[in-house]
Amino acid sequence: MKKEVGCVSMEERDEIQTLFERRNGLNELAKILTPDNDELYERLVKDMGETSSKFQNWWDRMYEKYQWESTDDGNWEIDFNDGKIYLVTAK
């Protein structure tokens, strides 16, 4: 089930979209990069960790600011077209 629970500003949307695209790009790079190149592999792992932390911090900040509805078995999604936030649950 998908339920609209709020929205964010276009600046906030742009911030999470940049992090989302970076995270996806790093995940794709991780699929083709092997640990053989120690330096590049370590940089990738570090960048993935930093980007994941920034991504989670954005969601935490927005939740504090907007107090969206949440559930233990759900997660939020954003529509990058309009900045609307949806609570997604299995039910």
Side-chain angles (χ1 to χ4, degrees):
M1 185 173 86
K2 193 171 182 176
K3 175 182 178 183
E4 183 179 340
V5 294
C7 64
V8 295
S9 72
M10 292 299 104
E11 293 81 16
E12 291 164 339
R13 180 218 46 200
D14 292 347
E15 181 183 356
I16 194 63
Q17 187 169 16
T18 299
L19 290 169
F20 178 81
E21 290 170 355
R22 181 169 185 80
R23 188 179 70 166
N24 285 350
L26 291 168
N27 286 334
E28 289 300 313
L29 182 58
K31 291 177 183 176
I32 60 170
L33 188 65
T34 63
D36 298 340
N37 184 337
D38 285 341
E39 183 181 340
L40 189 55
Y41 185 77
E42 290 302 319
R43 286 177 47 196
L44 173 65
V45 169
K46 180 181 178 200
D47 202 359
M48 288 177 74
E50 290 173 356
T51 301
S52 291
S53 290
K54 289 177 183 177
F55 188 83
Q56 186 59 51
N57 287 341
W58 184 91
W59 284 105
D60 294 344
R61 283 192 341 262
M62 295 304 111
Y63 173 70
E64 286 296 316
K65 180 176 180 178
Y66 295 110
Q67 295 294 307
W68 300 316
E69 178 183 340
S70 65
T71 62
D72 290 337
D73 66 338
N75 62 284
W76 295 304
E77 286 183 359
I78 184 169
D79 182 331
F80 290 122
N81 292 316
D82 56 17
K84 290 182 181 177
I85 304 297
Y86 296 90
L87 177 61
V88 181
T89 59
K91 297 178 185 179

